[in-house]
Amino acid sequence: MKESKFKFNIDVKTYMMIIALVAIWIIFTVITGGSFLTARNISNLFRQSVFTSMLAIGMVMVIILGEIDLSVGSIVGLTGGIIAIFDVWLDMEPVLAILITLAVGILLGLWNGWWVAYKKVPSFIVTLGGMLIFRGILIGITKGTTIGPMSGLFRYLGKDYLPDYVGIILGILGAIFIIFNQYKTRKDKLKYDFEILPLKLEIVKTIFFVLLIVLFVLIMNSYHGIPVPLVLLLILMIIFIYITRNTVFGRHIYAIGGNKEAAQLSGINITKITLLVFMLNGLMASIGGILLTSRLNAASVAAGQNAELDAIAACVIGGASLMGGIGSVGGAIIGAIVMASLDNGMSLLNVPMFWQSIVKGLVLITAVWVDISSKKKGKVV
């Protein structure tokens, strides 16, 4: 067993965004006189970040693969329009409407993936074309009209909150999961003689994460409770973190993005993995479309416009490399929360929209610059 001495081997890329997020929250809290950190605003902030986070989960796998998808905003608009047509025009059973819409999202991802994987057309071109095609279909089937209002289940999915006691139960389950995961991870590292933290430090680290969960539940319950869409995001986040970290499929995504030739020589089916990744991205975009339509209580032809740019920005800000092979689901979600925090804080300060775009653009460029600089130095400082 090797217990590492407590040394500050901090991977800048991994922790920089967390530090930046804390800094952004402190700055906005000071400038707004404390309004930023009220329970109501924190709840709104997390709800705002859900949509971009959903898209970022799918997009980050595409980026790790070394590809790009510019069509997710149009998939969001199209699937959001389809679910509204099913619900409002056809009065379809909500669960059936959701399942069909998710299937449509997977098919749209399959369309993109087929061109990229089997016809070897660059993903930039395929998804640029998809962006125009899907948006055109949306305008055609909705006749350019706004469709709403949505029925009860969708309003619940988009706007409602869990009762306080359910939030407490979820918090307890989350704390148990954290403790179990830390214990299992330490046990596995010991088994393979990997370097581990001293036991006292491991306990402090676990207590810190548990306290974060307790604090989160208390803040949410002091307003109206944990937002339903946030719970859906947390469930999907856990699933996709597991997929990308602990499955052969996930490791193949990183292997292909890191070195496609080496991956091919090692026997990885690049065509199949590429197709599956685009299908999953289509699925996540359709979930985003359903939640966006539910939150807005209507579908419009403008829904999801430029959402692909926010998703890509969230991934890059969260540490994903556009060169492929690097990135994480957790990082992408932190990137989405950073984007939402900037939007939320500047809106509280009544900053004009053009300044908000400028600031977000500068943050994106800075994130890419840091990524490139860290690669040049090849570092862990």
Side-chain angles (χ1 to χ4, degrees):
M1 176 182 76
K2 292 187 289 185
E3 281 201 354
S4 66
K5 293 180 180 177
F6 187 50
K7 52 187 178 184
F8 290 92
N9 280 351
I10 298 173
D11 183 339
V12 173
K13 185 183 289 183
T14 302
Y15 293 102
M16 190 190 66
M17 276 307 110
I18 296 176
I19 295 169
L21 181 62
V22 172
I24 289 169
W25 284 23
I26 291 172
I27 290 170
F28 279 131
T29 301
V30 172
I31 295 177
T32 60
S35 300
F36 185 84
L37 272 190
T38 59
R40 176 180 180 178
N41 193 55
I42 292 297
S43 178
N44 287 335
L45 189 156
F46 279 117
R47 285 181 58 185
Q48 289 169 3
S49 68
V50 166
F51 172 61
T52 304
S53 297
M54 289 283 186
L55 302 187
I57 288 175
M59 183 66 77
V60 77
M61 292 190 291
V62 175
I63 290 176
I64 293 169
L65 194 67
E67 306 289 352
I68 199 74
D69 191 341
L70 301 178
S71 68
V72 290
S74 294
I75 295 177
V76 166
L78 179 53
T79 52
I82 289 172
I83 197 76
I85 289 172
F86 285 156
D87 187 58
V88 180
W89 288 359
L90 304 180
D91 198 22
M92 186 181 287
E93 177 64 30
V95 175
L96 179 61
I98 290 172
L99 291 176
I100 295 175
T101 305
L102 295 178
V104 170
I106 293 172
L107 286 175
L108 296 177
L110 176 67
W111 165 268
N112 285 335
W114 182 79
W115 282 102
V116 176
Y118 287 93
K119 296 302 176 184
K120 309 303 178 190
V121 180
S123 56
F124 180 88
I125 301 300
V126 171
T127 55
L128 183 61
M131 180 174 70
L132 299 172
I133 294 168
F134 304 150
R135 186 66 62 181
I137 295 173
L138 171 65
I139 295 171
I141 62 174
T142 61
K143 300 178 176 62
T145 58
T146 298
I147 305 171
M150 304 296 287
S151 61
L153 176 63
F154 294 102
R155 290 198 297 274
Y156 176 78
L157 288 176
K159 296 183 174 181
D160 222 329
Y161 300 85
L162 294 178
D164 288 359
Y165 73 90
V166 177
I168 293 171
I169 292 172
L170 289 178
I172 293 171
L173 291 175
I176 292 172
F177 174 77
I178 291 286
I179 294 169
F180 173 75
N181 187 55
Q182 292 289 333
Y183 168 75
K184 187 175 181 302
T185 303
R186 183 179 179 86
K187 187 179 174 185
D188 289 342
K189 286 183 176 179
L190 283 170
K191 182 179 176 182
Y192 296 105
D193 201 28
F194 288 167
E195 194 174 70
I196 58 172
L197 287 174
L199 183 60
K200 287 182 181 175
L201 217 72
E202 197 79 60
I203 293 173
V204 170
K205 183 181 166 186
T206 304
I207 292 173
F208 173 75
F209 285 127
V210 170
L211 286 176
L212 277 184
I213 291 176
V214 172
L215 186 63
F216 173 77
V217 173
L218 287 176
I219 291 174
M220 293 296 110
N221 281 355
S222 66
Y223 185 50
H224 289 306
I226 301 176
V228 172
L230 185 58
V231 176
L232 296 175
L233 172 65
L234 292 173
I235 293 170
L236 288 169
M237 181 186 76
I238 292 170
I239 292 172
F240 279 92
I241 284 177
Y242 180 82
I243 289 174
T244 51
R245 284 187 179 179
N246 299 93
T247 66
V248 174
F249 171 70
R251 295 183 188 282
H252 284 179
I253 297 174
Y254 281 96
I256 295 170
N259 190 325
K260 188 173 282 190
E261 289 184 0
Q264 193 164 25
L265 290 172
S266 63
I268 295 174
N269 190 335
I270 295 176
T271 304
K272 178 183 169 186
I273 299 293
T274 302
L275 192 66
L276 287 174
V277 168
F278 274 95
M279 289 170 67
L280 286 174
N281 194 35
L283 173 66
M284 293 306 300
S286 65
I287 295 174
I290 293 170
L291 288 180
L292 182 64
T293 300
S294 301
R295 182 162 65 89
L296 300 177
N297 202 23
S300 73
V301 293
Q305 276 186 343
N306 297 328
E308 62 278 351
L309 301 181
D310 284 341
I312 293 169
C315 295
V316 174
I317 289 171
S321 171
L322 292 173
M323 302 301 291
I326 298 173
S328 67
V329 171
I333 291 176
I334 291 173
I337 296 173
V338 169
M339 298 277 289
S341 300
L342 291 171
D343 277 334
N344 184 286
M346 288 189 286
S347 295
L348 283 178
L349 294 169
N350 292 320
V351 175
M353 283 298 295
F354 72 91
W355 271 115
Q356 295 188 27
S357 295
I358 291 170
V359 170
K360 287 196 293 184
L362 289 172
V363 170
L364 177 61
I365 293 171
T366 304
V368 175
W369 171 72
V370 170
D371 174 44
I372 294 172
S373 299
S374 63
K375 276 184 180 173
K376 284 181 179 175
K377 293 175 183 175
K379 61 150 167 186
V380 174
V381 295

